[in-house]
């Protein structure tokens, strides 16, 4: 039996500025700053069975910056304190190593919750579920084969709202401020 724990403390400091030019959201203009610390941790257990089969389970809680499509943090999120999002992952599966490690692979099922931001700074909860598998086969000393497959389903919380900008209504974007 192998058990591992990991943890990390991150201190975030963010600064976001919107001058109101070419905006597609109703973001507050000006410069906003914020800071916050958060813990991220994982716990994992793996059972070493005979014949190279190892079932495992992993649980993790994370925090991440809520970035927009261009990699920035909107002034709306900084103003509302919604720029740091929580995530949770539960994964279980097994790994194998057979025939003196000539054939290796894994199979896993997971469920992950986290948030996502759309282009209008709306934050929605998402739940992703999936299956993943992969293998590697060393057929000879010079030839190997590998393959992988994944299936994923992600659902977005339908309780979100949608902002319509002045530009989408045919108005000058500066009129939205």
């Amino acid at each position: 039996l192998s058990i591992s724990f990991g943890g990390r403390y991150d201190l975030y400091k963010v600064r976001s500025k919107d001058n109101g030019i070419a905006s597609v959201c109703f973001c507050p203009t000006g410069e906003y700053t914020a800071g916050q610390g958060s813990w991220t941790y994982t716990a994992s257990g793996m059972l070493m069975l005979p014949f190279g089969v190892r079932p495992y389970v992993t649980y993790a809680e994370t925090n991440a910056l809520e970035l927009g499509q261009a990699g920035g943090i909107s002034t709306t999120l900084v103003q509302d304190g919604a720029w740091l999002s929580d995530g949770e992952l539960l994964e279980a599966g097994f790994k194998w190593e057979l025939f003196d490690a000539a054939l290796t692979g894994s199979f896993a099922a997971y469920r992950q919750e986290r948030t996502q931001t759309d282009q209008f700074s709306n934050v929605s909860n998402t739940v992703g579920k999936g299956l993943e598998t992969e293998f590697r086969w060393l057929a000879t000393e010079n030839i190997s084969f590998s393959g992988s497959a994944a299936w994923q389903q992600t659902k977005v919380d339908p309780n979100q709202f949608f902002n319509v900008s002045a530009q989408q209504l045919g108005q000058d974007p500066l009129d939205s401020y």
Side-chain angles (χ1 to χ4, degrees), residues 110 112 127-132 150-155:
Y110 67 89
Q112 182 177 27
V127 177
K129 298 176 184 178
L131 302 172
E132 300 173 335
W151 171 85
Q152 179 176 327
Q153 179 183 33
T154 302
K155 292 185 179 181

Side-chain angles (χ1 to χ4, degrees), residues 18-56:
D18 192 330
N19 57 14
I21 298 175
S23 178
V24 294
C25 71
F26 294 106
C27 300
T29 57
E31 184 171 303
Y32 294 82
T33 60
Q36 182 178 339
S38 68
W39 282 97
T40 295
Y41 66 89
T42 62
S44 186
M46 180 182 293
L47 186 59
M48 308 292 197
L49 295 177
F51 308 111
V53 177
R54 300 181 306 268
Y56 72 93

Side-chain angles (χ1 to χ4, degrees), residues 48-55 94-107 134-139 145:
M48 308 292 197
L49 295 177
F51 308 111
V53 177
R54 300 181 306 268
F94 58 91
K95 299 178 182 191
W96 67 85
E97 193 173 283
L98 307 171
F99 310 115
D100 293 326
L103 179 62
T104 62
S106 65
F107 176 82
E134 67 177 296
F135 78 92
R136 287 179 211 85
W137 175 36
L138 182 60
F145 299 92

Side-chain angles (χ1 to χ4, degrees), residues 47 52 79 111 117 120 155 165 175:
L47 186 59
Q79 183 185 42
R111 181 179 190 280
T117 304
F120 302 105
K155 292 185 179 181
S165 69
D175 290 341

